[in-house]
């Protein structure tokens, strides 16, 4: 035996013994099965997003690159492919169906199988066992991911049908956007079922118990970078925890950072990093809740990767986060303002914190003449070029995604798995 190695191991053990002891105390105090389960989904959040976020948040004044919540809680990876007839690249509906039911289905399916038959969801199982259930998202509440956890439909685009079906889900908390899909008559039906209907974030403080349907935007919530209500997703998450935890039988909560995906589709690195920060903050809210309530399990993942984000592009061995940090509003907002501003070039230069070259001015001018969508795209391209950000697509990719966990039975989610396995493991942890 190598005596030097043995000695080194012994010294290391002595040094870390107090830490190991305290860790064992914490583990022994935690139950083997969770009473409460929080499922968090960063929509479109492929591994490059969490790496980019780490560098984006790095304090340039320190030698180290600081860890984020994603680094702390990383436990494994998951494949995301849909049912065979849809190939290898999933959409949010098929992936959410897999995560909610443990069954592969076709792209567009809302918790129905390939023959369009309803599948039992985690939320349905939890409700049948007397637990409370809820969703808090930044998209419309009847979008693909929350819909797959709460209801069933053969087509994710049937937004009105999905909204109406929520009357029969027995969900205790529904928070997000989507006013457009809930008519006055439908809201009255929710009220008759005991729901408190609110449409302004300021009203959240007045909700202290009971069921709530909170719709805070016509469709999706504002981009996080443009949102005057700081950390809206964290606020929705905390309120959901407060309300659902009043049930002695426990709860299952779904939290989605929906707009990470939307930023990825737009190849918008500025909005993407702000949405990542919003989701990271919400994860930290739940992480803190788990530490204070050791009977709670957090499992987080992505439904798929969006955009094929590349940290570095065009042969340059660098990624300029300082440029990105200077931009304090979304390219969408910058573009919208530029369309009606005579001094738009100066305004864009100021918003981006840089001096436009003659070539950039010409490109933006040509795009502006084509309208808002073209100008937004040109702004994103300019920012990508300057920051050395790359994208491979405006759609999804089939790469594996990360899995994060903390709390009782978190070890179940370690290693390589399929997204259906995540659902199966969560279902196995529900009360018998």
């Amino acid at each position: 035996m190598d005596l030097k190695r043995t000695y080194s191991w012994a010294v290391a053990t002595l040094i870390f013994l107090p830490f190991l002891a305290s860790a064992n105390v914490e583990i022994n105090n935690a139950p083997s099965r969770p009473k409460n389960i929080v499922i968090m989904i960063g929509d479109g959040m492929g591994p490059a997003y969490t790496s980019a976020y780490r560098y984006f948040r790095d304090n340039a004044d320190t030698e180290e690159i600081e860890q984020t919540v994603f680094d702390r809680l990383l436990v494994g990876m998951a494949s995301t492919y849909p049912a065979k007839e849809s190939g290898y690249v999933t959409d949010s509906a098929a992936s959410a169906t897999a995560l909610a039911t443990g069954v592969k289905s076709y792209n567009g399916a809302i918790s129905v199988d390939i023959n369009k038959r309803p599948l039992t969801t985690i939320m349905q199982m939890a409700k049948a066992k007397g637990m409370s259930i809820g969703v808090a998202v930044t998209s419309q509440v009847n979008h693909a991911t929350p819909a797959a956890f709460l209801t069933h439909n053969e087509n994710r685009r049937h937004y009105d049908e999905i909204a109406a079906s929520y009357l029969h889900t027995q969900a205790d908390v529904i928070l997000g956007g989507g006013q457009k899909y809930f008519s006055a008559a439908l809201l009255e039906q929710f009220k008759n079922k005991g729901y408190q209907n609110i449409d302004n974030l300021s009203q959240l403080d007045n909700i202290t118990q009971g069921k709530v349907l909170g719709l805070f935007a016509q469709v999706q919530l504002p981009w996080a970078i443009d949102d005057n209500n700081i950390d809206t997703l964290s606020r929705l998450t905390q309120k959901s925890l407060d309300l659902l935890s009043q049930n002695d039988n426990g709860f299952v909560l779904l939290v989605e950072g929906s707009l990470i995906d939307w930023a990825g589709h737009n190849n918008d690195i500025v909005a993407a990093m702000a949405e990542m920060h919003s989701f990271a903050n919400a994860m930290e809210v739940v992480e803190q809740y788990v530490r204070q309530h050791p009977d709670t399990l957090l499992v987080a993942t992505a439904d798929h990767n969006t955009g094929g984000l590349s940290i570095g592009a065009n042969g340059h061995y660098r990624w300029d986060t300082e440029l990105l940090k200077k931009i304090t509003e979304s390219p969408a907002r910058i573009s919208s303002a530029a369309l009606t501003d005579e001094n738009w070039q100066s305004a864009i230069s100021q918003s981006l914190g840089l001096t436009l070259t003659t070539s950039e001015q010409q490109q933006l001018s040509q795009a502006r003449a084509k309208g808002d969508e073209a100008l937004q795209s040109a702004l994103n391209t300019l920012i990508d070029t300057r920051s050395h950000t790359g994208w491979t697509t405006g759609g999804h990719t089939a790469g594996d995604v990360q899995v994060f966990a903390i709390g009782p039975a978190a070890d179940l989610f370690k290693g390589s798995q399929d997204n259906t396995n995540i659902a199966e493991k969560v279902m196995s942890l529900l009360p018998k």
Side-chain angles (χ1 to χ4, degrees), residues 47-65:
Y49 283 79
T50 60
S51 297
Y53 179 68
R54 180 196 304 126
Y55 304 137
F56 179 75
R57 294 294 297 171
D58 177 43
N59 182 352
D61 294 330
T62 64
E63 189 67 27
E64 66 174 337
I65 296 176

Side-chain angles (χ1 to χ4, degrees), residues 73-85:
L73 304 187
L74 178 66
V75 297
M77 299 290 291
S79 51
T80 64
Y81 57 89
K84 203 161 187 68
E85 55 262 52

Side-chain angles (χ1 to χ4, degrees), residues 47 74-79 400-403 413-418:
L74 178 66
V75 297
M77 299 290 291
S79 51
D400 292 356
V401 296
Q402 295 163 306
V403 182
F413 302 89
K414 285 184 175 180
S416 180
Q417 61 214 292
D418 186 60

